[in-house]
Amino acid sequence: MSCVLGIETSCDETAVALWSDAGGLLVHDVFSQTDIHRLYGGVVPELASRDHVKRLLPMVTSVLSQTSYTLSDLTGVAYTAGPGLVGALMVGASFARALAWSLGCPMVGVHHLEGHMMAVMLEDDQPSYPFLALLASGGHTALIYVREFGDYEIISQTVDDAVGEVFDKTAKLLGLPYPGGPVLSELAEKGVSSRYVFPRPLCQKNKLDMSFSGLKTAVRQQVSLLDVDDQVRADIACAFEEAVVDTLLYKTRQAIDVTCASDLVLVGGVAANKRLRRAIKNLPIRTYYPRPLFCTDNAAMIAYAGAQRLKQGGGERCVKARWPLESLTQSAQ
Ligand code: KG4
Ligand code: ZN
């Protein structure tokens, strides 16, 4: 029976989880470093690495103590090998390697985006392969055709900023506190719809690419013309979200046409967004998404993806700040 420990340290969350084929997700824990980075208005890589070092061992001990399993029951250790902050990734990778070596069990370096896409498999309601994934996070935004586990084709992706990044930058522009995305999203729920209108970038029939950097410029220009009070801020947040959601839906419709997919999954940090989760249900396709906690960074998705990778032989990987998802498909062939 397999029992895989998952470790995620690619950015500003330290996360640990235990997955077994027999029992599914046994336990998981996430520690968010938000309070550490808030002071600086964004993630400070060196502080992130140092805090991962501090948290990882106590979290592994605590997670195991919540189960009937001990270290000697582990059949594998999975860690996020990239993409992400190199120093932060190295903490998780070094810890995983040392632990696997001391236990004499295999280890596997997992692609963070493969983890995000597999987060939906932690839920009772799961898609069937092949499916289309709308992946929207702080560092990546893409529509990916998933033929099977490990076989990925990027249908469309952003040519500039990721959606989460634009949420964060727009929140800053509106004077909202870090972390911007979720705070802006809460505020948008109080805004009046369509009081302001922002562009839907690259929504022309023949273009599959996405672009979001112009949207924050449009918000900046609008803000510079206004006396911004709380209601105006909420109305702008609402209009910004409407533009993002409309654009993502337009691009997803195009990708559905291209792939003829019948199942769609919504994953990555921005998949926690309430307006997007509501709107995606209106698409002519079966839709699936992880619970909000498994949309943002977590180790349950890494343990699950790692367990699947270990069935294919696993393998240690050097950590990588950049790591094209499609290279997984090539290496599988
Ligand atoms: O997947 P994730 O946790 O980390 C990366 O892999 O990047 O995504 C983080 C991103 C951040 O940009 C954050 O602002 C955004 O997801 N995010 C949200 C919401 N929750 C997190 N954006 C919009 N609405 C939310 N509710
Ligand atoms: Zn992520």
Side-chain angles (χ1 to χ4, degrees), residues 144-225:
I144 302 153
Y145 190 55
V146 183
R147 286 195 185 80
E148 57 186 67
F149 177 80
D151 186 346
Y152 310 117
E153 182 185 350
I154 294 185
I155 304 298
S156 157
Q157 61 188 328
T158 178
V159 293
D160 41 54
D161 291 0
V163 169
E165 189 181 354
V166 176
F167 260 96
D168 296 337
K169 288 176 178 169
T170 304
K172 226 177 199 176
L173 210 109
L174 290 174
L176 302 176
Y178 172 87
V183 177
L184 185 148
S185 165
E186 283 306 312
L187 184 65
E189 294 285 314
K190 297 181 194 138
V192 177
S193 172
S194 307
R195 190 162 275 173
Y196 302 98
V197 178
F198 295 118
R200 275 63 174 155
L202 295 190
C203 285
Q204 296 127 15
K205 280 234 157 4
N206 53 351
K207 282 217 161 105
L208 277 166
D209 285 344
M210 297 181 258
S211 165
F212 294 100
S213 69
L215 203 47
K216 65 178 190 263
T217 313
V219 175
R220 182 179 296 118
Q221 281 167 352
Q222 182 69 75
V223 167
S224 71
L225 302 173

Side-chain angles (χ1 to χ4, degrees), residues 261-313:
S262 45
D263 287 14
L264 171 73
V265 309
L266 174 62
V267 290
V270 181
N273 184 272
K274 288 183 193 151
R275 192 181 306 270
L276 183 57
R277 288 169 89 92
R278 285 195 297 265
I280 208 97
K281 287 188 191 145
N282 298 326
L283 289 173
I285 191 166
R286 286 189 296 267
T287 52
Y288 304 83
Y289 30 69
R291 70 198 82 168
L293 188 62
F294 291 163
C295 291
T296 47
D297 289 350
N298 66 86
M301 66 186 195
I302 301 303
Y304 176 87
Q308 312 315 306
R309 287 265 156 211
L310 283 165
K311 285 178 198 157
Q312 299 173 352

